[in-house]
Amino acid sequence: VIVRTAFEDAAAFFWDVERLREQSFSKGVKKTVERKGNDFEMEIKTIEQAKKRVFFSTMKLHKVDGKSIIITTTPKGIIERSNTTSLSIVGSAINRLDSLNKIAELAEETSAFKFTRVKERETRIELVTELQLGEGVKKSAVQESLEKHLSVANDAALYFMKLLGSKEITESEGKVMGKQLMLEIEHREKRIISKEGVVKDFIEENNALKEIVQREEFFRGLLCAVVWNRLRRDASKE
């Protein structure tokens, strides 16, 4: 994953667990800081709310050299398991690991995130994650859990994309933002917020869109029309 920011800022985004939770689009995973050690180590708790899985982990930050930083997550304490199946993922490749032999009480996460400077304001994020879940967990369920944990990389890309100005953003990034707006419309709490409300908040959070609306006020109405499908062609008139 490539994010449009300096590699130190990208690493800081992942290290700030509280801010990361607020910015996450994957609401099913909640991270909190249990204890802070020195400046480069802390203990965190991760909860998969739908499955009620809990991960207790130690996070460490390692500055490798002048252009790369690694953040690791390792299980805290010893957890016993029985017939547990675990999967590891590198990018999008999922590999089966050996079944384990003891009783599962808590889940475990082992991961490494590497942040490498590509340009002054461009960072490549590489990630490896292994999860060990409870007894009798199916491979498909583990894959679903992995996707939730790894979605943080996409969250970071979207977060920094929203900070770009209208002159910085590319056409492909504009398309990504359009898809994200439609996802937020689809998953909104319909009884609480309207489509127009989602559009308004989305513009306020997005520097490029905010700049465009300040120059061209009609653009706000245009976005609302799009989400209401008011610009669809009438096929009968074609």
Side-chain angles (χ1 to χ4, degrees):
V1 176
I2 298 292
V3 297
R4 298 279 299 278
T5 192
F7 79 98
E8 298 97 336
D9 292 337
F13 178 82
F14 278 73
W15 187 252
D16 189 345
V17 172
E18 304 295 339
R19 180 174 64 159
L20 185 62
R21 184 180 71 240
E22 292 173 1
Q23 296 296 330
S24 177
F25 296 103
S26 177
K27 302 302 183 184
V29 177
K30 180 181 178 181
K31 291 180 181 286
T32 55
V33 176
E34 293 287 286
R35 185 182 70 84
K36 289 189 176 181
N38 57 40
D39 292 340
F40 306 104
E41 181 177 330
M42 61 183 168
E43 295 174 5
I44 63 169
K45 178 171 71 174
T46 304
I47 301 175
E48 283 186 28
Q49 294 171 313
K51 303 297 182 181
K52 301 189 184 320
R53 293 193 187 102
V54 181
F55 303 76
F56 289 97
S57 311
T58 299
M59 278 181 66
K60 294 183 180 181
L61 185 147
H62 316 265
K63 188 159 186 180
V64 180
D65 51 39
K67 63 177 184 179
S68 56
I69 292 172
I70 294 176
I71 294 178
T72 59
T73 301
T74 54
K76 182 179 181 295
I78 299 174
I79 299 171
E80 299 198 349
R81 313 169 189 84
S82 172
N83 298 322
T84 304
T85 298
S86 65
L87 295 177
S88 66
I89 187 164
V90 181
S92 60
I94 298 177
N95 303 305
R96 192 174 189 80
L97 299 179
D98 294 332
S99 290
L100 303 173
N101 280 326
K102 298 181 180 178
I103 287 196
E105 297 176 352
L106 294 173
E108 289 186 352
E109 176 183 13
T110 304
S111 64
F113 288 71
K114 183 178 181 182
F115 308 86
T116 305
R117 183 185 188 275
V118 178
K119 298 178 183 178
E120 183 178 355
R121 292 190 63 192
E122 191 170 301
T123 301
R124 180 174 63 252
I125 302 177
E126 300 168 273
L127 49 154
V128 180
T129 296
E130 176 186 330
L131 299 181
Q132 295 174 348
L133 305 183
E135 180 179 358
V137 178
K138 295 180 180 179
K139 180 177 179 178
S140 59
V142 182
Q143 180 173 347
E144 179 185 356
S145 180
L146 280 166
E147 289 173 354
K148 287 182 179 180
H149 284 253
L150 292 171
S151 67
V152 65
N154 290 327
D155 292 342
L158 288 167
Y159 172 79
F160 288 108
M161 197 180 296
K162 287 183 175 183
L163 300 182
L164 298 174
S166 58
K167 294 182 179 179
E168 298 175 286
I169 202 155
T170 65
E171 181 180 349
S172 61
E173 288 169 335
K175 291 179 179 178
V176 170
M177 288 195 299
K179 291 179 181 178
Q180 185 59 39
L181 173 59
M182 298 311 294
L183 282 174
E184 293 190 21
I185 291 288
E186 181 182 349
H187 295 294
R188 77 189 192 284
E189 296 184 51
K190 296 181 181 179
R191 295 183 179 180
I192 298 176
I193 185 167
S194 65
K195 290 182 179 180
E196 289 89 345
V198 174
V199 171
K200 179 181 177 182
D201 292 343
F202 194 80
I203 290 172
E204 285 301 310
E205 296 169 357
N206 191 301
N207 284 347
L209 289 178
K210 194 185 301 184
E211 289 175 11
I212 293 171
V213 169
Q214 287 172 350
R215 293 197 306 267
E216 307 288 351
E217 179 59 33
F218 77 88
F219 193 76
R220 187 192 306 272
L222 179 64
L223 283 180
C224 289
V226 169
V227 300
W228 276 104
N229 293 320
R230 289 173 181 161
L231 297 184
R232 287 184 301 177
R233 292 181 179 179
D234 186 343
S236 63
K237 297 179 181 178
E238 299 262 339

